[in-house]
Amino acid sequence: MARRTKFARSRSRLVLGPGVVLDWDVVRTALARSRVTTDPAEERRLLAEALRLAPGGVLAERPTGHYSWLARVRLERSARDLLVDAAHRLAILCWNGDDPDAAREAAWSGLRVAATEELLWRDLLRATAATGGA
């Protein structure tokens, strides 16, 4: 009996089958759902899930010289922007929920994706100060 594979070769490229789910699709779905929910706790959960699935950004760890097409499609930049917005929004929700420790974690999650993002550094400093940290 032949086994169905999750991918196939087509002209020396891998083609994913229709049943394959990518983490990035799950991240985008969680972010989209977070924008339409009216429950702050559910929004927090969805944002945290998205940030957990993309801890270092999209294709942050890849072999040198591979995936050069990413620069042309601007995937890295748009993914970075989405994740920074998610981390900032999560920090605000945590702050409003009186949970500065969670706000600090949200800011760190975003900074792992975009280490120089000033907005997230402000979130981190504000949360750290609220918890009595240096």
Side-chain angles (χ1 to χ4, degrees):
M1 182 172 191
R3 275 182 96 185
R4 238 175 120 167
T5 60
K6 296 283 183 184
F7 61 89
R9 284 212 175 262
S10 172
R11 297 183 192 186
S12 53
R13 293 178 190 242
L14 291 178
V15 179
L16 299 176
V20 175
V21 178
L22 301 176
D23 285 351
W24 184 240
D25 289 333
V26 177
V27 167
R28 287 184 14 218
T29 299
L31 292 176
R33 288 178 51 210
S34 76
R35 286 188 217 94
V36 297
T37 187
T38 57
D39 178 16
E42 178 67 1
E43 185 179 4
R44 275 180 70 167
R45 187 190 70 73
L46 289 165
L47 290 169
E49 177 185 340
L51 291 169
R52 182 184 54 78
L53 288 171
V58 175
L59 290 171
E61 297 177 20
R62 62 179 181 261
T64 305
H66 292 204
Y67 305 102
S68 59
W69 55 268
L70 286 173
R72 289 190 304 278
V73 297
R74 296 188 176 109
L75 175 65
E76 285 178 297
R77 179 61 186 211
S78 60
R80 177 192 171 282
D81 292 346
L82 278 173
L83 295 171
V84 165
D85 289 345
H88 176 62
R89 177 66 182 152
L90 182 56
I92 289 171
L93 288 170
C94 293
W95 188 262
N96 291 341
D98 228 8
D99 191 354
D101 285 324
R104 187 175 60 226
E105 277 306 307
W108 274 121
S109 293
L111 288 168
R112 283 192 276 286
V113 173
T116 60
E117 186 61 47
E118 289 182 34
L119 181 64
L120 296 175
W121 279 106
R122 281 192 295 259
D123 291 340
L124 178 63
L125 291 172
R126 184 177 174 199
T128 301
T131 59

